[in-house]
Amino acid sequence: VQGRIPILSNIFRGNALMRSGQPLVGLTQKRCVQDEKLIEAMKEAASTSEEAKKHSLVIVDARPSSSAFANTLIGAGIERLECYEDSERIYLNLENIHTIRESHDRLSQQIKLISRSDGNNRALWIELEEGCAWLDHLRGILEGVGRILEALLQNNTHVLVHCSDGWDRTIQLVSLVQLCLFPRYRT
C-alpha cells in the first residue's frame, strides 16, 4: 500500500530474508508478476548452490489473518501462493501500530501512577500486568522472531516478512532476526 516492494534484507546460509509491504491484489486476486520475479531473483541470488535454489519460501504475514483478508477490500491483501513455487504462509497475529501505541500509553500512565505511590501499591502492579497488554505484544513479536528463525535455520527456507505497510512490525521482526543470526550486530 505504501509502495514498499520486496527487498533483500539479508542472506543467511544461502537463504534470503526479505521484507515488503502487503501485495496489492485486491478482491480480484490480481497478480504482480514483477514482484514474483523479484522474489525469485532474490532467492536465486541468495542461494549458494543449485540445490539451495530449490528451497521453499515461507511468507510470514505479521497481521492477523482477518486483517489481511479485510485489506482485500481496499485493493491489497495476501499473495496467491500458487504464484510462488513451493511456498507457505504463516500469520503471526500481531496487532497494528495504533493498538501498540495505545498499549504503550496505558503502560506509561500505569508506571506514573505506581511511581507516585512509591511502588508499594500491589493493586496498581496487577492492573499494570492485566490492563495494558504490553508484555503480550512483546511476547508476540519474540514468538514471531522465533518462527522466522526456525524457518531459516531448521527448515532451511527463504523467508519473506510483511504486514500491511511494511514499516512497523516488519522492521521489528527482521531487525531482531538479524540480531539473533549475526553476533556482530549485538556489540
Side-chain angles (χ1 to χ4, degrees), residues 99-173:
T99 302
I100 301 299
R101 185 183 307 113
E102 290 167 8
S103 177
H104 182 264
D105 290 346
R106 287 193 305 273
L107 173 71
S108 297
Q109 291 168 359
Q110 281 301 113
I111 289 174
K112 287 177 188 174
L113 287 173
I114 290 169
S115 66
R116 289 185 196 131
S117 71
D118 296 329
N120 294 326
N121 190 332
R122 181 164 167 72
L124 288 174
W125 282 105
I126 292 171
E127 191 175 327
L128 172 66
E129 291 177 22
E130 295 174 353
C132 72
W134 184 253
L135 294 178
D136 293 333
H137 298 309
L138 293 180
R139 183 180 63 242
I141 290 169
L142 293 176
E143 286 174 352
V145 167
R147 292 183 78 181
I148 295 167
L149 288 169
E150 180 182 353
L152 287 167
L153 299 173
Q154 293 176 359
N155 301 340
N156 204 28
T157 61
H158 302 286
V159 178
L160 170 64
V161 181
H162 71 71
C163 58
S164 297
D165 294 322
W167 60 276
D168 54 345
R169 296 166 279 195
T170 303
I171 301 295
Q172 292 168 341
L173 292 164

Side-chain angles (χ1 to χ4, degrees), residues 10-157:
N10 218 308
I11 297 172
F12 186 76
R13 295 184 187 160
N15 290 311
L17 175 61
M18 302 165 277
R19 64 182 173 88
S20 71
Q22 67 185 326
L24 304 177
V25 295
L27 286 172
T28 61
Q29 287 293 293
K30 61 186 174 201
R31 292 177 68 176
C32 181
V33 177
Q34 294 87 348
D35 279 2
E36 295 166 18
K37 287 182 178 180
L38 183 56
I39 288 170
E40 191 61 34
M42 286 188 278
K43 287 170 50 178
E44 288 179 15
S47 300
T48 55
S49 68
E50 283 302 313
E51 185 61 33
K53 290 179 184 177
K54 297 176 183 171
H55 291 178
S56 60
L57 171 68
V58 175
I59 299 171
V60 177
D61 196 324
R63 308 169 287 183
S65 59
S66 58
S67 298
F69 290 114
N71 282 351
T72 60
L73 298 173
I74 61 167
I78 59 174
E79 295 85 358
R80 294 173 49 188
L81 291 181
E82 66 270 13
C83 299
Y84 298 90
E85 187 178 334
D86 194 19
S87 63
E88 67 175 292
R89 177 184 0 269
I90 59 173
Y91 292 99
L92 298 182
N93 299 310
L94 300 176
E95 297 296 336
N96 65 34
I97 193 168
H98 309 293
T99 302
I100 301 299
R101 185 183 307 113
E102 290 167 8
S103 177
H104 182 264
D105 290 346
R106 287 193 305 273
L107 173 71
S108 297
Q109 291 168 359
Q110 281 301 113
I111 289 174
K112 287 177 188 174
L113 287 173
I114 290 169
S115 66
R116 289 185 196 131
S117 71
D118 296 329
N120 294 326
N121 190 332
R122 181 164 167 72
L124 288 174
W125 282 105
I126 292 171
E127 191 175 327
L128 172 66
E129 291 177 22
E130 295 174 353
C132 72
W134 184 253
L135 294 178
D136 293 333
H137 298 309
L138 293 180
R139 183 180 63 242
I141 290 169
L142 293 176
E143 286 174 352
V145 167
R147 292 183 78 181
I148 295 167
L149 288 169
E150 180 182 353
L152 287 167
L153 299 173
Q154 293 176 359
N155 301 340
N156 204 28
T157 61

